[in-house]
Amino acid sequence: MLHRMKTEEQIRRQLEQIRGSLDERGRREWAASEAMALGYGGVALVHRATGLAPVTIGKGIRELKAREGQPEPEGPRRVRRPGGGRPRKADTDPTLVADLEQLVDPVTRGDPESPLRWTVKSLRRLSTELKAKGHDVSRSLVSRLLKFLGYSLQANRKTLEGANHPDRNTQFEHINARTERQLQAGNPAISVDTKKKELVGPFKNGGRELRPKGGPEKVRVHDFVDRELGKANPYGVYDIGANTGWVNVGITSDTAEFAVESIRRWWYSEGRHAYPQATELLITADCGGSNGYRTRLWKLELQGLADELGFLISVCHLPPGTSKWNKIEHRLFSFISMNWRGKPLISLDVIVKMIAATTTTEGLTVHCELDDNLYEKGRKVTDAEMATINLVPDNFHGEWNYTIRPRRSQCKPHSPDRLVS
């Protein structure tokens, strides 16, 4: 079809001939007219030929369509809205905008019918990569340039939670108050949860990373479990006061026994050193799963841990349908996912090392270990065993908030050396 339409070179030469007589709005509307005349693919072709952003061409198309059949207004026309325009730095650094678009373009998302685009790269990462190319930029400047180019930094928004519990907000306030009192008393407060299970092997992992052009890392076409490598089951413990993470990577089922064992290992590895005078451990957890408030084995295993440590263990569960608000999700797990995005998790050793390598500029550090124990799935807890649990429910929603006291007659502290791998 090239013989029936203008080429990029022809459009580029045409713009050079008339550029001097066009203001900003004129260039926009001329480019929009050319794109409309070319039909399908016209916006992309004009963008490549002129360097004008697709969102700018799209704006020109909308302006032309809005004026169809309308008389031209009298008097001088406004070229741009008050306060609008290209940031000054882009004028003194002519390759800055082009380099920024080159960095953003491979990970650009957006509706082709909408002028809004967004990128999955952070402002910090973009500014760092631009500095590596020789540009003197800050995160705020990158933000202004992206806005100028029609970009917005966004993510999927979870809004469909189902029915809200009437005491949801009150429970959050209760958890926050308990956490503050716990930290002020010098006691540990942790957020716990199981991260999504991960296939071990050369499987595709979401996200993109810089690699030599034309040399993507090869992975399997189908995501079938490798029977020899299996799955990794990371259980995380986030220390709210210290901003540190501890992850226990299991190889079997996500059970309540595995969850409490992960907390036990965190205590002997990190907690007892950070809180030598602790008299109580506060755990915030989701309402369901291996650490759910209805899980009998969770409470029985916590009773064993309380007997072992010799002090109180209090638990506050998040209200139903609010697991995304668990602190461990956005203070630990999200950074782990960003750290290994685009990298196949080819072995358990690689998973452990990449989790342990996770850090943030706010000071987050993460310790990770492999747990090769086998945990029985579907283990039942009898009524007689439940009767032995020294559980004291809180006055407010005792099913969500409760304290497990050690049974003094059964306190048998174990040597921490047994947990050293």
Side-chain angles (χ1 to χ4, degrees):
M1 295 181 63
L2 290 178
H3 65 282
R4 291 192 295 167
M5 66 171 61
K6 294 181 180 179
T7 64
E8 290 183 30
E9 183 60 30
Q10 289 174 329
I11 296 174
R12 188 179 297 110
R13 286 202 303 268
Q14 186 176 348
L15 177 61
E16 290 301 323
Q17 292 171 355
I18 62 175
R19 183 188 294 274
S21 59
L22 296 176
D23 57 20
E24 178 185 336
R25 182 175 175 182
R27 287 194 299 272
R28 180 172 69 241
E29 292 181 353
W30 170 84
S33 177
E34 290 291 330
M36 293 170 67
L38 290 169
Y40 180 80
V43 172
L45 183 63
V46 174
H47 161 63
R48 291 194 299 269
T50 65
L52 292 175
V55 66
T56 301
I57 302 172
K59 181 179 179 181
I61 292 174
R62 291 192 300 276
E63 290 174 344
L64 292 178
K65 288 182 176 180
R67 290 210 311 273
E68 286 182 351
Q70 300 294 327
E72 282 290 329
E74 298 181 358
R77 65 179 186 174
R78 181 180 293 279
V79 176
R80 63 176 59 161
R81 66 184 183 276
R86 185 184 183 94
R88 294 181 180 178
K89 185 69 175 179
D91 293 327
T92 59
D93 189 347
T95 63
L96 175 58
V97 174
D99 285 347
L100 176 59
E101 287 230 80
Q102 188 177 22
L103 289 174
V104 173
D105 186 65
V107 289
T108 295
R109 301 177 179 181
D111 182 350
E113 301 299 324
S114 168
L116 178 64
R117 299 181 289 176
W118 62 93
T119 174
V120 296
K121 283 191 174 183
S122 67
L123 298 178
R124 180 180 290 107
R125 182 168 181 178
L126 287 171
S127 62
T128 300
E129 293 181 9
L130 285 172
K131 288 176 182 177
K133 289 178 175 288
H135 300 287
D136 182 18
V137 295
S138 63
R139 278 179 286 170
S140 59
L141 174 60
V142 172
S143 176
R144 293 198 301 274
L145 286 171
L146 287 174
K147 185 176 180 180
F148 169 74
L149 295 171
Y151 285 91
S152 174
L153 186 64
Q154 298 185 6
N156 294 337
R157 184 179 182 184
K158 291 184 178 180
T159 57
L160 306 178
E161 298 182 25
N164 290 334
H165 194 282
D167 290 332
R168 184 184 71 167
N169 291 339
T170 308
Q171 175 65 3
F172 277 122
E173 293 171 359
H174 178 79
I175 292 174
N176 289 337
R178 285 293 307 274
T179 302
E180 289 180 4
R181 291 199 303 268
Q182 185 79 355
L183 296 177
Q184 288 173 0
N187 286 321
I190 60 176
S191 172
V192 301
D193 197 12
T194 307
K195 196 180 185 301
K196 179 178 72 72
K197 285 188 176 182
E198 302 288 348
L199 290 173
V200 183
F203 298 101
K204 179 178 174 61
N205 198 0
R208 301 189 186 195
E209 283 296 312
L210 292 173
R211 289 183 59 84
K213 188 175 182 180
E217 193 158 355
K218 296 180 180 180
V219 296
R220 294 183 183 179
V221 175
H222 301 293
D223 292 343
F224 297 127
V225 179
D226 188 311
R227 293 188 178 182
E228 293 185 4
L229 298 176
K231 292 183 178 181
N233 187 31
Y235 190 93
V237 178
Y238 175 72
D239 187 332
I240 299 172
N243 188 32
T244 58
W246 199 95
V247 180
N248 192 33
V249 178
I251 59 173
T252 57
S253 301
D254 175 26
T255 69
E257 183 182 5
F258 169 63
V260 176
E261 177 63 17
S262 300
I263 297 172
R264 176 182 285 108
R265 292 184 177 214
W266 163 80
W267 173 256
Y268 285 122
S269 174
E270 304 284 342
R272 66 191 180 103
H273 303 295
Y275 305 95
Q277 306 299 323
T279 58
E280 181 183 9
L281 170 63
L282 176 64
I283 301 172
T284 62
D286 290 350
C287 249
S290 59
N291 45 228
Y293 77 98
R294 293 179 178 175
T295 306
R296 286 186 162 197
L297 185 58
W298 161 254
K299 296 174 181 177
L300 182 64
E301 290 293 325
L302 283 180
Q303 180 67 75
L305 181 59
D307 295 342
E308 182 178 324
L309 301 183
F311 52 70
L312 306 176
I313 296 181
S314 296
V315 183
C316 292
H317 291 277
L318 276 70
T322 62
S323 60
K324 67 178 180 291
W325 300 113
N326 197 343
K327 281 184 169 59
I328 195 171
E329 293 288 347
H330 51 88
R331 292 193 182 181
L332 177 60
F333 288 165
S334 61
F335 295 111
I336 292 174
S337 297
M338 287 190 290
N339 189 52
W340 69 22
R341 65 181 178 185
K343 301 183 182 73
L345 308 177
I346 59 176
S347 69
L348 289 169
D349 184 57
V350 167
I351 291 175
V352 170
K353 287 181 178 178
M354 282 201 286
I355 291 176
T358 303
T359 58
T360 67
T361 56
E362 286 73 28
L364 173 71
T365 58
V366 184
H367 179 84
C368 185
E369 292 183 1
L370 178 65
D371 184 349
D372 56 7
N373 290 334
L374 301 179
Y375 297 94
E376 179 186 353
K377 189 175 181 179
R379 178 181 159 192
K380 302 297 183 182
V381 176
T382 66
D383 291 342
E385 289 177 311
M386 286 296 295
T388 66
I389 301 176
N390 190 6
L391 185 149
V392 180
D394 285 10
N395 293 328
F396 177 73
H397 276 286
E399 76 278 18
W400 294 343
N401 308 291
Y402 50 85
T403 298
I404 296 178
R405 299 177 179 274
R407 299 169 296 193
R408 297 298 179 184
S409 61
Q410 299 189 32
C411 287
K412 296 179 181 179
H414 291 76
S415 170
D417 295 337
R418 70 183 184 87
L419 297 168
V420 177
S421 58

